[in-house]
Amino acid sequence: MAFALKFHYCLLFIMVLLPALCSADQDPFTGSRATYYGSPDCLGTPTGACGFGEYGRTVYDGNVAGVSRLYRNGTGCGGCYQVRCTVPKLCTDDGVNVVVTDHGEGDHTDFILSPRGFAGLARPNMALDLMAYGVVDIEFRRVSCRYPRSNLNFKVHENSRFPEYLAIVILYQGGQNDITAVDIWQEDYQQWSSMRRAFGAVWDMPNPPSGGLNLRFQVSGSYGRQRWVQLRNVIPGDWKAGVAYESAIQLN
């Protein structure tokens, strides 16, 4: 009987503690406002300030956003957020997860959502009623990006000119991670050379090394944890502008 009673109290303790443990790694929600922009297909735009191109239009099924202060001079590009609105009777409990692909400022808003993303805030059959507000109060928090069928991709930006100028943008950036630096290995000098953040998520370098390129990039994750990730021959020596090269890794 005593054993059964202890087991009962232990089970009750676990049941009470488990929700706190499961939510310990989640950021708290922050109050703000959100609006949406016009788009004929309700998706994102390929001309966003992050430089993602077509990826920035369709990633996460077009649930994308331009942000203001969260843009952080491009460091915030590729970050994922859970956004939920607080209009009574119109908003879902979970809201929608969006990817940052652009920079934009509205009427005291942190998010300018794609029409599809904004509609995802609403309960079934309530999207038009919610969109009629134009701007709504929201809560948001940073969440992990999930790309179960994709590893990190290194896309050679369309502005690149082989072989004298290379610009790259990193796609499918998983987890709660920011890319804060990118280096290329210079074999002739036996040292790492820094790429410049040209704009948004685009990194560039004039006169890059020839041959297959070894890259390393600095990742700043949850709670300020930083690390370097190094990849060999991630971009081939005959790279072409506009082509994305998939790596063998994903961040989490």
Side-chain angles (χ1 to χ4, degrees):
M1 180 65 180
F3 174 81
L5 188 60
K6 289 180 180 178
F7 177 81
H8 174 77
Y9 283 131
C10 181
L11 182 60
L12 181 61
F13 177 77
I14 291 173
M15 292 174 64
V16 171
L17 183 62
L18 187 58
L21 291 174
C22 291
S23 62
D25 292 334
Q26 293 182 335
D27 292 334
F29 280 99
T30 299
S32 184
R33 285 153 54 91
T35 185
Y36 62 95
Y37 56 83
S39 172
D41 56 8
C42 296
L43 304 178
T45 170
T47 58
C50 289
F52 287 140
E54 184 65 16
Y55 168 91
R57 192 178 76 86
T58 59
V59 63
Y60 263 36
D61 294 325
N63 290 321
V64 298
V67 294
S68 51
R69 62 189 177 91
L70 298 173
Y71 182 73
R72 292 177 287 138
N73 197 34
T75 301
C77 290
C80 291
Y81 290 86
Q82 180 186 1
V83 181
R84 62 189 188 189
C85 62
T86 58
V87 180
K89 299 181 180 180
L90 292 184
C91 300
T92 66
D93 293 335
D94 294 329
V96 64
N97 286 7
V98 297
V99 183
V100 173
T101 60
D102 204 351
H103 175 267
E105 297 184 18
D107 181 13
H108 301 289
T109 61
D110 275 304
F111 290 86
I112 303 179
L113 301 173
S114 65
R116 180 170 294 189
F118 196 89
L121 300 174
R123 295 183 182 275
N125 303 316
M126 294 291 184
L128 292 179
D129 295 317
L130 186 66
M131 296 181 85
Y133 277 76
V135 180
V136 295
D137 292 329
I138 62 161
E139 298 175 327
F140 73 90
R141 65 180 175 186
R142 183 80 181 263
V143 295
S144 292
C145 295
R146 305 291 185 189
Y147 301 107
R149 294 181 295 277
S150 299
N151 289 325
L152 279 178
N153 276 228
F154 292 81
K155 180 186 175 183
V156 178
H157 195 270
E158 288 80 1
N159 291 343
S160 299
R161 300 182 304 276
F162 182 84
E164 66 266 17
Y165 173 73
L166 173 65
I168 65 170
V169 57
I170 303 174
L171 310 180
Y172 300 109
Q173 176 183 315
Q176 292 190 45
N177 299 290
D178 295 329
I179 306 298
T180 55
V182 181
D183 294 348
I184 290 183
W185 177 250
Q186 297 270 18
E187 185 67 28
D188 293 347
Y189 303 101
Q190 291 292 294
Q191 67 180 22
W192 292 99
S193 295
S194 298
M195 301 188 78
R196 176 183 71 114
R197 186 188 292 277
F199 67 93
V202 179
W203 302 82
D204 69 353
M205 173 182 282
N207 303 312
S210 59
L213 298 180
N214 301 330
L215 297 181
R216 72 175 184 178
F217 54 97
Q218 189 177 53
V219 178
S220 179
S222 301
Y223 309 110
R225 293 189 293 263
Q226 291 190 341
R227 68 187 190 276
W228 284 93
V229 178
Q230 183 173 329
L231 297 170
R232 293 181 55 83
N233 296 316
V234 69
I235 298 177
D238 59 347
W239 50 264
K240 295 177 174 60
V243 177
Y245 300 96
E246 185 173 4
S247 74
I249 69 164
Q250 181 55 276
L251 300 175
N252 50 38

